[in-house]
Amino acid sequence: MEVEQGEQQQQQQQQQQVLQQPQPGRQQQLQTDQQQLLQQPGQQLLQCRYPSVPQFLSYIRNRRLVTFKKLEDPKEPGLQLELLQEYDYDTVTASLAAKLGVDDPTKIRLTQHNAYSSMPQRQPVKYRQLANLDKLLQHTGHVVDVLYYEVLDMPLPQLEQLKSLRVHFHSDKTEFVAEHVLRLPRDSSVADVLQDLSGRLGPDYAGRRLRLLEVYHSKIYKIFDPAEDIANINDNYWLLRAEPVPADEAVEHGSGTRLIHVYHISTPKADANNAAGGNAAPAAGGGGFIGSATANAAATVTTFGDPFLLRIGANETLGQVKVRIQEKLAVQPAEFDTWKAAFVSIRAAPEYLADSDILEFKFAAAEGHQASAESNYLGLEHEDKGPKRPISSTRYTYERPVKIYN
């Protein structure tokens, strides 16, 4: 019995010795937590980006193919990067900067995608405002795969310490000249904005007094006080317009004079008349301005073009005012004769005027009905010959950007 046990132990020892001997071509099995790797004797393990199964599955679950488009050309194909949705803001901008060849990732500014309009959102993303890529690719509960970018001329944290304003400059003829992007400290005033702008306009406007207006839908809603702070000015909703102050407004005037709003208008009746190729008969006094008897009480007034301000005298008639308007706008006499003028108030239908009407009386009477200045204006009814823009049902529609002069 003891002899048999001794023989069994000897056989087991011999088998273990055989197994422990190295054998050429035999693969050794190495175990990790969740996977098995086969390695040839003396061969190093390959360097893997995701060496374990959990890491690899996490990569598959979190990877996102993101399309980056230039903000100024949102309809371009753009470029694509594979990123992880857990990447933080800095990693996302660094990845994009490396792809674009930008040396400083902080010069990249991102804008999120609007899932409803398929266009950029109005406001860009502030520096490190959103924690990671997952947050950047969300809009009102929708997951998107597009981001828009700008390459700035200074680091974004530095830019955000300044107030950036897009100001449209218009000439004495009310015509658009150029758009300027002004960057000033947030505690600056409107006077500082106008001073900065004045230095960019060239010798034609040297020494001219400027003013800043707030315009929306071809109406002037505000004339900024030069002492007003710029911190709360919003140039995303309102259009900021700067213009030289006419010489007749730069001096003090006696009682009875006033600064009125003058807008270009159209009405359904006028549009139908233009489409038929006809023109209404001018009122007595000439100039193509018809009498109040032809006013259409149901007319809906639409404003277009560039509105402007005009100072009128105490006893100045429409006939006298229209001479100055024609000179200011440089309209040809033949075309100007087809224009009609109307006093427009928020409380009534347009009242068409004759050359003999004294404008100051109209505006003075309307003030007694608690109407604000921009609610009462002189309307110039004529054909809109400006560039036609498509009507959009969304405020997120973008047009081709104008040239910006910094």
Side-chain angles (χ1 to χ4, degrees):
M1 191 70 173
E2 293 180 356
V3 175
E4 292 180 355
Q5 291 178 350
E7 290 178 352
Q8 291 177 355
Q9 291 177 355
Q10 186 177 3
Q11 291 177 356
Q12 291 176 355
Q13 291 175 356
Q14 291 176 351
Q15 291 176 355
Q16 291 177 357
Q17 290 176 356
V18 171
L19 291 173
Q20 292 174 356
Q21 292 178 357
Q23 300 181 16
R26 181 176 177 176
Q27 296 177 330
Q28 297 180 347
Q29 191 174 45
L30 305 176
Q31 294 185 351
T32 62
D33 293 336
Q34 301 292 332
Q35 66 176 350
Q36 293 181 336
L37 299 176
L38 296 180
Q39 178 186 11
Q40 295 291 342
Q43 184 180 17
Q44 294 183 352
L45 285 173
L46 297 175
Q47 296 295 325
C48 297
R49 186 178 179 186
Y50 305 104
S52 68
V53 170
Q55 290 175 319
F56 180 73
L57 294 179
S58 177
Y59 155 71
I60 295 297
R61 183 176 63 253
N62 291 298
R63 65 180 177 178
R64 300 290 301 275
L65 189 62
V66 184
T67 300
F68 290 90
K69 300 182 178 183
K70 294 179 181 179
L71 183 64
E72 64 268 22
D73 189 9
K75 295 185 179 180
E76 68 160 354
L79 58 91
Q80 291 186 324
L81 289 177
E82 185 181 86
L83 306 172
L84 297 184
Q85 63 183 12
E86 60 195 22
Y87 279 177
D88 60 18
Y89 175 91
D90 290 342
T91 304
V92 173
T93 54
S95 301
L96 179 58
K99 181 70 173 180
L100 297 174
V102 177
D103 57 349
D104 186 357
T106 62
K107 291 183 178 180
I108 299 291
R109 180 163 66 177
L110 301 175
T111 299
Q112 290 180 281
H113 183 70
N114 186 296
Y116 299 108
S117 66
S118 296
M119 296 296 286
Q121 294 194 39
R122 286 289 187 184
Q123 295 289 348
V125 179
K126 294 182 178 180
Y127 181 66
R128 293 178 177 173
Q129 177 184 2
L130 299 176
N132 52 40
L133 180 64
D134 183 50
K135 300 293 185 182
L136 288 166
L137 296 178
Q138 291 188 22
H139 175 241
T140 61
H142 294 80
V143 178
V144 299
D145 59 0
V146 176
L147 287 172
Y148 304 89
Y149 70 90
E150 303 166 84
V151 179
L152 307 174
D153 57 358
M154 66 173 64
L156 181 56
Q158 179 181 346
L159 177 63
E160 290 180 345
Q161 298 303 313
L162 304 175
K163 177 72 173 181
S164 295
L165 295 176
R166 293 178 180 269
V167 179
H168 286 206
F169 180 71
H170 286 236
S171 68
D172 291 289
K173 296 180 180 180
T174 76
E175 295 174 341
F176 171 78
V177 177
E179 181 181 81
H180 298 265
V181 177
L182 308 177
R183 297 170 179 168
L184 297 96
R186 291 186 171 273
D187 58 353
S188 300
S189 66
V190 171
D192 297 324
V193 173
L194 296 176
Q195 182 178 2
D196 189 337
L197 177 62
S198 179
R200 304 170 183 234
L201 298 180
D204 291 343
Y205 298 95
R208 293 287 302 274
R209 177 184 166 192
L210 305 177
R211 64 185 169 202
L212 187 66
L213 310 175
E214 197 172 63
V215 179
Y216 184 70
H217 279 189
S218 297
K219 290 184 178 182
I220 299 171
Y221 284 86
K222 183 175 183 178
I223 305 172
F224 285 95
D225 188 316
E228 183 174 345
D229 292 335
I230 67 171
N232 296 322
I233 294 180
N234 183 358
D235 62 349
N236 290 296
Y237 184 77
W238 306 96
L239 185 147
L240 299 180
R241 186 177 109 185
E243 63 184 18
V245 178
D248 65 337
E249 297 180 29
V251 296
E252 293 294 333
H253 292 266
S255 61
T257 64
R258 68 175 62 241
L259 195 65
I260 65 171
H261 294 224
V262 185
Y263 301 159
H264 302 272
I265 65 171
S266 64
T267 64
K269 178 180 179 180
D271 293 340
N273 189 54
N274 290 334
N279 289 305
F289 292 89
I290 64 176
S292 59
T294 59
N296 183 357
T300 301
V301 176
T302 302
T303 55
F304 63 90
D306 297 313
F308 59 96
L309 302 170
L310 186 72
R311 184 173 292 280
I312 59 173
N315 296 305
E316 197 170 15
T317 64
L318 175 63
Q320 295 170 318
V321 170
K322 72 181 185 185
V323 172
R324 295 197 287 121
I325 292 177
Q326 181 181 359
E327 181 181 355
K328 180 180 182 68
L329 303 181
V331 182
Q332 294 297 321
E335 179 183 352
F336 193 71
D337 285 345
T338 66
W339 290 21
K340 311 165 192 175
F343 175 76
V344 184
S345 174
I346 194 173
R347 62 185 179 84
E351 178 186 353
Y352 290 88
L353 305 174
D355 284 349
S356 58
D357 289 329
I358 297 178
L359 289 182
E360 199 277 334
F361 292 169
K362 298 292 182 182
F363 286 89
E367 285 183 351
H369 294 82
Q370 308 296 324
S372 58
E374 66 270 13
S375 300
N376 305 314
Y377 59 88
L378 178 65
L380 302 177
E381 186 180 288
H382 61 93
E383 181 183 357
D384 181 7
K385 294 185 177 181
K388 297 297 186 294
R389 300 182 181 182
I391 299 176
S392 172
S393 60
T394 171
R395 62 187 289 258
Y396 294 96
T397 298
Y398 280 70
E399 298 177 355
R400 183 179 300 277
V402 297
K403 186 175 182 180
I404 298 175
Y405 296 84
N406 287 313

